[in-house]
Amino acid sequence: MAALPEALAEVRELLLAPDLIRATAGGQRRDGTPSVQRATLRPVTLKAGDRVQLVTEDGQRPTTVNLAPGAELAGRVDELLAEPFGSWTVETAHGTVRLQATKKGAVLHRSAAPVAVPAVTAHDRPREHLIDPGDPLYAVIGGDAAKRRQVDAFLRALDATLPDPAQLPSPLHVVDLGCGNAYLTFAAYRRLSGLGLDVRLVGVDVRDDQRERNTAIARKLGWADHVSFVAGTIADAPVPQADVVLALHACDTATDDALARALSWDARWILAAPCCHKDLSRQLRRRPPEGAAALLTEHGILRERFADVLTDTVRAALLRRQGYAVEVVEFIDSAHTPRNAMIRAHRTDRRPSPAEVAELDALLAEWHVQPHLATLLAGTPAS
C-alpha cells in the first residue's frame, strides 16, 4: 500500500519518460467523478516530429490531441493526474505498472516483463488495428477487409464499455448470445486475453452444427480451455453466469431475449447490436397512431425506420429502469451496414426516478405498443 500522491508521482514519471508505449486511465475514485470516462496516451510520429497522442472518451465520441514533449505534455499530464481516476495502467519498454486507488491510498502492481514496442507509431499512416491484420486469428476465421473493419469497430466499442483491466473481475466471464459463426466472439477473446485477463468465454447458438464448427476452431487456435460453445436458445442455454454479455446482430426480438437473459444474470456490462426490428413495426401497422403522428408510419419504409428508433429507445429506457447506465452509439459506419446501432450498458447503483418511469410508460401508451422486452420483464422490479 502506498500513499496516493507518491503513487501518482511515480505514474507521472513514467508518462513523461521517453520509453512510454501506452497508458490508460479509467474508473473513478470515491472522492469524485472524472470529467472523462477514459484517457489513453501513446507516442506517435507526425510530420512535425514526435508527439504523445491523448485520446479522451466521454461516452459519445473520442477527442484526440497530439501533445509536444516538454511543457505542453507535462501540463496535460498533470491535469489528468488531478482527475479522480480509479486506476492507471502504464506500459513501457521495461514493464507495466498498474495503480489502483483504494480508500486508504493506492496499490501499485509492477511487472518487470518487457513490453513489445509497436513497430509503427506514425500518425499519418493507416490507423492502428486493435488486432493486427496479420494476426493468426484471421488465418483461421478469414480476414477480408470488411470483416477486419467490423472486428476493429466492435473491439473499440468493447474497450470503451469496459473499465481499465485492473478493475475487471478475475476470471472474467463473457457470454455471446446468438454467436453464429463466432468471429466476433473469437475476436473478443483475443483482445481481452491479450490485455492479460483470465477470460472464460461461452458462445451460444441454437444450431448444433455451429457449436461443432466453433468448438473445432477454438481447438485449432489452442483456446479450448477458455472458449467453449453450447447449442440452445438464448433464453434457455445452460450458462450459469456472465459478467459481460454480447448480443451482436440477433434478429428482431432475439435481441430482447438476450437483454432479458443478461438482466437475469445481473451482468455488469452489456453490448448489443440489434439486427432487424420487426416486432414494433408490425404493431404500428396493425394499430397506426392517430393525428399528426400517423405521418411517421404512413409509408412502409418510414414505418420500419421509425420502428428501429422506437425499439432501441425503449430498450435503452428499460435497461435504465433496471439500474444500468446506457448509451446508444454507432457500431460501424453506415456505409458498411444500415444496422449500425449498438446499445452499450453497464450496471450502476442508480435507481430510476419516478419521472423516468412515467416517461417510458407515457411513450408506450402514446404509440399503443407493447415491446417484447417489456413483456419479458413484466413483474421484474426496477433496481
Side-chain angles (χ1 to χ4, degrees):
M1 181 71 66
L4 184 59
E6 285 76 8
L8 290 173
E10 180 174 339
V11 168
R12 182 182 191 276
E13 183 177 347
L14 295 172
L15 294 176
L16 299 178
D19 62 349
L20 174 70
I21 293 174
R22 185 172 183 266
T24 60
Q28 66 183 62
R29 301 199 300 261
R30 292 177 176 269
D31 57 343
T33 301
S35 61
V36 294
Q37 294 180 358
R38 185 183 178 95
T40 304
L41 298 106
R42 70 181 184 97
V44 295
T45 301
L46 308 180
K47 292 178 180 177
D50 292 338
R51 297 288 187 271
V52 172
Q53 184 180 90
L54 168 63
V55 180
T56 53
E57 300 175 30
D58 62 2
Q60 298 298 320
R61 293 188 179 274
T63 300
T64 302
V65 294
N66 297 304
L67 306 168
E72 183 181 24
L73 175 60
R76 194 67 182 93
V77 163
D78 288 339
E79 291 176 5
L80 290 171
L81 292 172
E83 295 273 4
F85 288 117
S87 65
W88 278 89
T89 300
V90 185
E91 302 172 23
T92 72
H94 297 92
T96 300
V97 172
R98 292 185 173 87
L99 180 155
Q100 184 70 47
T102 70
K103 290 188 292 186
K104 297 182 179 180
V107 176
L108 286 172
H109 301 276
R110 299 179 181 86
S111 169
V115 178
V117 178
V120 176
T121 59
H123 179 69
D124 299 322
R125 299 184 188 181
R127 78 173 186 170
E128 177 186 3
H129 293 273
L130 295 184
I131 296 180
D132 189 275
D135 192 282
L137 172 66
Y138 287 122
V140 177
I141 68 171
D144 60 28
K147 181 173 289 187
R148 291 197 302 271
R149 280 194 297 269
Q150 190 175 54
V151 165
D152 197 61
F154 163 63
L155 294 180
R156 292 183 187 279
L158 182 63
D159 273 11
T161 302
L162 300 181
D164 186 270
Q167 296 180 285
L168 292 169
S170 183
L172 180 69
H173 293 276
V174 182
V175 179
D176 189 350
L177 295 171
C179 65
N181 61 17
Y183 67 90
L184 292 177
T185 317
F186 288 118
Y189 178 79
R190 176 69 179 83
R191 173 62 177 169
L192 294 172
S193 62
L195 296 174
L197 297 168
D198 179 9
V199 181
R200 310 298 168 86
L201 193 153
V202 179
V204 174
D205 197 87
V206 71
R207 292 171 50 184
D208 192 60
D209 61 329
Q210 289 282 39
R211 179 193 62 79
E212 293 178 354
R213 171 192 174 275
N214 295 335
T215 299
I217 291 176
R219 292 196 190 101
K220 187 172 183 179
L221 290 166
W223 298 347
D225 289 342
H226 293 270
V227 181
S228 60
F229 296 88
V230 298
T233 66
I234 288 173
D236 299 323
V239 181
Q241 62 179 316
D243 301 307
V244 180
V245 172
L246 312 176
L248 307 173
H249 298 145
C251 193
D252 197 15
T253 57
T255 294
D256 300 305
D257 294 332
L259 295 175
R261 191 76 192 272
L263 293 174
S264 75
W265 285 316
D266 204 19
R268 295 174 64 179
W269 300 280
I270 302 170
L271 288 91
C275 187
C276 55
H277 300 69
K278 298 178 182 178
D279 182 39
L280 292 196
S281 181
R282 287 190 295 264
Q283 294 185 41
L284 291 169
R285 185 175 65 250
R286 288 195 301 266
R287 188 176 180 182
E290 300 173 353
L295 295 174
L296 290 170
T297 62
E298 179 180 2
H299 304 283
I301 186 172
L302 297 180
R303 183 178 62 248
E304 290 178 5
R305 291 179 179 177
F306 177 71
D308 289 359
V309 173
L310 182 59
T311 300
D312 288 335
T313 297
V314 171
R315 285 168 173 161
L318 287 168
L319 287 172
R320 280 193 291 270
R321 184 177 285 192
Q322 296 299 318
Y324 284 75
V326 186
E327 297 173 316
V328 183
V329 299
E330 186 178 73
F331 176 15
I332 192 169
D333 191 277
S334 58
H336 304 297
T337 173
R339 305 298 183 183
N340 67 335
M342 173 173 281
I343 299 170
R344 299 192 326 220
H346 70 272
R347 181 163 48 82
T348 71
D349 295 328
R350 180 183 180 277
R351 295 177 178 273
S353 68
E356 289 172 322
V357 174
E359 285 174 352
L360 175 58
D361 292 340
L363 179 67
L364 299 180
E366 179 180 357
W367 291 98
H368 309 297
V369 293
Q370 176 62 19
H372 184 60
L373 182 58
T375 301
L376 294 173
L377 298 180
T380 301
S383 295

